[in-house]
Amino acid sequence: MKNDLLHGGSLDHMREAFPGAPEPWIDLSTGINPWPYPVPHFPSDTLQHLPTEAAYNHCRTAMANALGARPDTLALAPGSELLIRLLPRIIAPNCVVVLQPSYGDHAQVWRAAGCEVIETHDPLSRAKTADAVVLCNPNNPDGRLFEPHDLNTLRQELAHRGSWLIVDEAYADLAPEFSLAQYGGEPGLIVLRSFGKFFGLAGLRLGAILAPDGILRKLTDLLGVWPVSGLALEVGAQAYSDHAWQADTRKKLEEARKRLDGILRDGGFRNIQGTDLFRFVACEDAHGVWRQLAEAGIYVRRFPWSKEHLRFGLPADETAEARLRAALSLSA
């Protein structure tokens, strides 16, 4: 099977690999909210003109307020994926400790930069010999959570010797109480944030980094004068200011996650973990189940490092839930 089918979101390649699968496909391969923030109508000059500094600052302030951070500790970017790939050009650690299992691009990027990469289930205990520690909180794919107090203590220890704690908070909108945004700008801390997952608008390409001023200046030089589109700034500012929508969405996602858990339990899966946007499950033949679901037009996430685990995103409606339940009953 093609390696590009291991990552989520490759629905075009899935159609090529499984031409007999029924349409429409149900894409559960990404942990993206299937009920996106309602994008309002914007005046045409939002797209016709270059983004203004005022629009950038408006979005940055709205995001910072929503995260509980200071605006001057935050810089916007066209998605957090780009930030992950730019970090080796901003800091130059020799040894990087990376949480495992986790989002695979972290280890890949640092290894490609020539760093020694140590992948471990317990990154906090391996931090003493590291120049940088990288983890996701909540973690992707298993939803593991790290206490902010423990991470801030680690941050202080790393900063004391000139090292870095890098925290990918792509899913932290689901558990804001675990975010380190309040410590944004402190020495030794780099926090990455994603807009598209919780707000369900991944194609808008909006993200942010919270870091000390020296890191932000280096990043700004790399990103250039207009790093984020005018449309992303407008939508981001409105979405981050809409606290009622955010609160309602957290409740809606929790309810949908509970329904998905029931479907997965009935399908015979065990050790169901994750977040309210995705579920990480164990089974005996994960790749076989993945293929059977694909033949039924249902795309879920599998992993090159495990033949016993799958990840499921949230079905968008009752029809998708029913199709998933039926497909799992056939594979059980």
Side-chain angles (χ1 to χ4, degrees):
M1 189 60 62
K2 295 180 180 179
N3 288 335
D4 52 15
L5 298 185
L6 291 170
H7 203 288
S10 300
L11 192 55
D12 52 345
H13 294 152
M14 291 294 287
R15 284 193 169 98
E16 293 176 4
F18 298 93
E23 294 280 355
W25 274 80
I26 299 173
D27 188 358
L28 307 181
S29 68
T30 65
I32 297 172
N33 182 356
W35 305 288
Y37 184 78
V39 177
H41 173 73
F42 290 107
S44 59
D45 60 1
T46 299
L47 295 177
Q48 290 177 320
H49 298 162
L50 290 169
T52 64
E53 182 178 358
Y56 179 97
N57 289 334
H58 182 45
C59 182
R60 181 176 67 168
T61 299
M63 180 186 288
N65 289 340
L67 304 186
R70 299 197 323 270
D72 64 323
T73 67
L74 186 153
L76 302 177
S80 58
E81 174 69 16
L82 177 62
L83 295 173
I84 292 172
R85 298 183 181 280
L86 287 179
L87 281 179
R89 299 184 60 179
I90 298 174
I91 62 174
N94 293 315
C95 177
V96 181
V97 169
V98 180
L99 174 64
Q100 173 64 29
S102 194
Y103 184 57
D105 284 15
H106 286 295
Q108 174 188 336
V109 163
W110 291 109
R111 193 171 283 118
C115 302
E116 176 190 1
V117 175
I118 299 174
E119 297 183 72
T120 174
H121 184 71
D122 189 7
L124 276 63
S125 68
R126 300 293 298 272
K128 293 181 180 180
T129 58
D131 301 308
V133 175
V134 182
L135 54 86
C136 298
N137 194 36
N139 189 39
N140 173 16
D142 60 9
R144 180 180 175 186
L145 287 165
F146 294 85
E147 290 291 339
H149 176 269
D150 295 340
L151 292 182
N152 190 47
T153 299
L154 174 61
R155 189 272 309 170
Q156 293 173 322
E157 296 172 357
L158 290 167
H160 183 69
R161 60 174 193 269
S163 300
W164 294 94
L165 172 63
I166 302 169
V167 184
D168 183 343
E169 293 189 350
Y171 291 95
D173 291 290
L174 298 167
E177 67 274 19
F178 283 88
S179 174
L180 291 187
Q182 61 182 311
Y183 301 110
E186 293 293 330
L189 179 64
I190 296 174
V191 177
L192 307 179
R193 296 290 300 216
S194 173
F195 172 82
K197 295 175 177 63
F198 176 73
F199 290 94
L201 297 171
L204 201 65
R205 308 312 302 142
L206 177 62
I209 181 171
L210 293 92
D213 183 64
I215 299 295
L216 297 185
R217 281 189 278 107
K218 290 180 181 179
L219 178 69
T220 299
D221 289 342
L222 288 173
L223 291 178
V225 181
W226 302 287
V228 181
S229 74
L231 183 60
L233 294 176
E234 291 275 1
V235 175
Q238 289 204 21
Y240 278 115
S241 299
D242 195 340
H243 302 292
W245 183 92
Q246 294 170 43
D248 290 343
T249 295
R250 290 188 183 98
K251 295 177 182 178
K252 184 174 184 178
L253 294 176
E254 181 183 11
E255 293 169 357
R257 186 266 301 166
K258 290 178 179 178
R259 293 196 304 272
L260 177 57
D261 281 356
I263 294 172
L264 295 173
R265 282 193 299 268
D266 292 344
F269 292 105
R270 61 184 188 277
N271 299 330
I272 301 174
Q273 307 171 71
T275 72
D276 284 345
L277 275 174
F278 60 80
R279 305 307 280 162
F280 182 65
V281 301
C283 61
E284 290 184 1
D285 181 18
H287 289 203
V289 174
W290 178 88
R291 176 176 287 277
Q292 290 181 41
L293 290 173
E295 291 171 347
I298 300 174
Y299 179 19
V300 302
R301 184 78 159 83
R302 66 189 180 110
F303 304 97
W305 44 264
S306 175
K307 296 182 180 180
E308 298 180 350
H309 293 93
L310 293 171
R311 197 191 71 182
F312 291 75
L314 298 179
D317 51 39
E318 292 181 359
T319 299
E321 289 180 356
R323 279 183 59 186
L324 176 61
R325 185 181 294 277
L328 290 177
S329 68
L330 294 176
S331 63

